[in-house]
Amino acid sequence: MGTNDRAGNTPAYSINVGHIHLSIWENQSDNGRTWFNTQIARRYKDGETWKDSTSFSGLGDLALLAEAVRLAQKFVTGREHLLAAEGRDAF
């Protein structure tokens, strides 16, 4: 088993692009290797309650998803370079 930041409910990176919300969780295995999990959701309001969906529709959502994923890739790439500079493995 490994550890992750979810126990503290704090993602390593979180961004909103329009109504698209993306979170990246940094995890560490027992042998010290680091990996990243990504969650993406579309936020919408149902009456007075905000909800999340993992279903996306139309070109507008796709454009927002593409931008969110581009920013996520930039974050993970930077973290992996930093981990490598520290002599730590990431996968």
Side-chain angles (χ1 to χ4, degrees), residues 8-61:
N9 293 324
T10 304
Y13 180 78
S14 183
I15 185 135
N16 292 308
V17 179
H19 56 271
I20 303 299
H21 179 76
L22 181 142
S23 295
I24 298 176
W25 302 88
E26 187 170 328
N27 305 277
Q28 191 169 35
S29 68
D30 292 336
N31 66 2
R33 293 189 73 185
T34 300
W35 77 95
F36 301 90
N37 288 339
T38 303
Q39 295 177 324
I40 304 174
R42 178 177 53 85
R43 303 273 300 157
Y44 68 96
K45 200 166 186 181
D46 183 10
E48 294 299 314
T49 305
W50 283 98
K51 295 185 177 182
D52 291 337
S53 173
T54 56
S55 176
F56 307 95
S57 57
L59 292 175
D61 279 0

Side-chain angles (χ1 to χ4, degrees), residues 48-80:
E48 294 299 314
T49 305
W50 283 98
K51 295 185 177 182
D52 291 337
S53 173
T54 56
S55 176
F56 307 95
S57 57
L59 292 175
D61 279 0
L62 291 177
L64 295 173
L65 282 167
E67 179 62 9
V69 169
R70 185 189 70 78
L71 294 169
Q73 181 182 19
K74 185 177 178 179
F75 170 79
V76 171
T77 299
R79 281 294 294 143
E80 287 184 350

